[in-house]
Amino acid sequence: KNDHYPKYIHLMGKQQAPYCLITVVVILLFALVIVGAIPEARNSIIEQGNKLRAVGPYGCFILIPISGFIVIPLGLPFMMMELLNALIAPNFGIALLVSVISKNLGCSLCYLIGKYMIREKILDQLSDSALYKGLEIKVNQSPWKASVFVRMTNLPLFLKNYGLLLPKRMTYFIYIVCVFTTGVVSSAME
């Protein structure tokens, strides 16, 4: 056994080195920096928001399927969608409603994907991890407290959504109620 080689992550039956995942993250961060640094890119995003606003006062509801089926399950920055939502929505209540519905829809899809498609593959990689064992212990002691605690941390939404699915005791009801309650609070603050 060669310990100096990177451990491989099994994705869809193929072995891929972890640097492939790191490359995707670097590309996404690079894209965000470009959007922030280049005024033309930033103006293009604002222009798209203005087109959605032209649909009418409730054009922000178009963002629900985009956020719920694409942005949240893929782990893309949801904050950008909330900012676009705030730009388009006619008032705070509508913006909060769209944001909470988007989060619940996206997290429900994450639950289905995580629990029934990728959970075993992830557990194969993390079964010896102290972090996973600690999460499993805390969820077994009190799934509500553990879920709310993880949801209120400053971890990326992607890690919260898929990480909370790993313990066996995490049910859909606990998961989605905690997504809703913490989602209302975080969306209202953002």
Side-chain angles (χ1 to χ4, degrees):
K1 180 178 175 181
N2 295 327
D3 290 333
H4 61 280
Y5 289 111
K7 292 183 179 178
Y8 287 92
I9 298 173
H10 296 278
L11 297 173
M12 297 184 196
K14 298 178 182 177
Q15 287 187 342
Q16 295 185 3
Y19 57 81
C20 294
L21 298 175
I22 294 170
T23 304
V24 171
V25 171
V26 168
I27 290 170
L28 287 173
L29 290 174
F30 184 70
L32 288 174
V33 168
I34 287 176
V35 167
I38 300 174
E40 292 84 13
R42 190 172 47 249
N43 292 339
S44 173
I45 291 173
I46 292 172
E47 183 180 320
Q48 296 305 319
N50 289 336
K51 286 180 183 177
L52 283 175
R53 183 178 270 177
V55 171
Y58 300 102
C60 58
F61 287 101
I62 295 170
L63 297 177
I64 291 174
I66 295 169
S67 297
F69 293 122
I70 299 170
V71 174
I72 293 174
L74 293 178
L76 301 174
F78 184 68
M79 177 68 82
M80 298 296 286
M81 296 304 287
E82 285 190 320
L83 292 174
L84 186 59
N85 180 23
L87 182 75
I88 298 169
N91 59 44
F92 175 75
I94 298 294
L96 184 61
L97 178 69
V98 167
S99 182
V100 169
I101 290 172
S102 297
K103 281 183 182 178
N104 283 310
L105 180 64
C107 290
S108 293
L109 185 57
C110 287
Y111 186 87
L112 292 174
I113 292 169
K115 207 69 161 176
Y116 301 109
M117 295 174 72
I118 62 173
R119 183 177 185 274
E120 295 305 320
K121 293 177 184 177
I122 294 172
L123 285 178
D124 288 342
Q125 300 295 320
L126 296 178
S127 61
D128 296 332
S129 167
L131 181 62
Y132 167 69
K133 289 178 183 175
L135 181 63
E136 183 80 42
I137 290 169
K138 288 299 179 187
V139 168
N140 284 337
Q141 288 174 352
S142 176
W144 291 98
K145 286 181 184 178
S147 185
V148 169
F149 176 76
V150 169
R151 287 265 163 217
M152 296 306 284
T153 60
N154 199 16
L155 292 170
L157 191 60
F158 185 76
L159 292 177
K160 295 177 196 180
N161 290 341
Y162 291 106
L164 279 173
L165 299 173
L166 298 177
K168 289 181 182 176
R169 191 158 177 219
M170 185 58 64
T171 64
Y172 178 73
F173 181 73
I174 295 170
Y175 181 82
I176 205 66
V177 168
C178 291
V179 165
F180 176 77
T181 54
T182 58
V184 168
V185 172
S186 66
S187 292
M189 291 175 22
E190 293 168 355

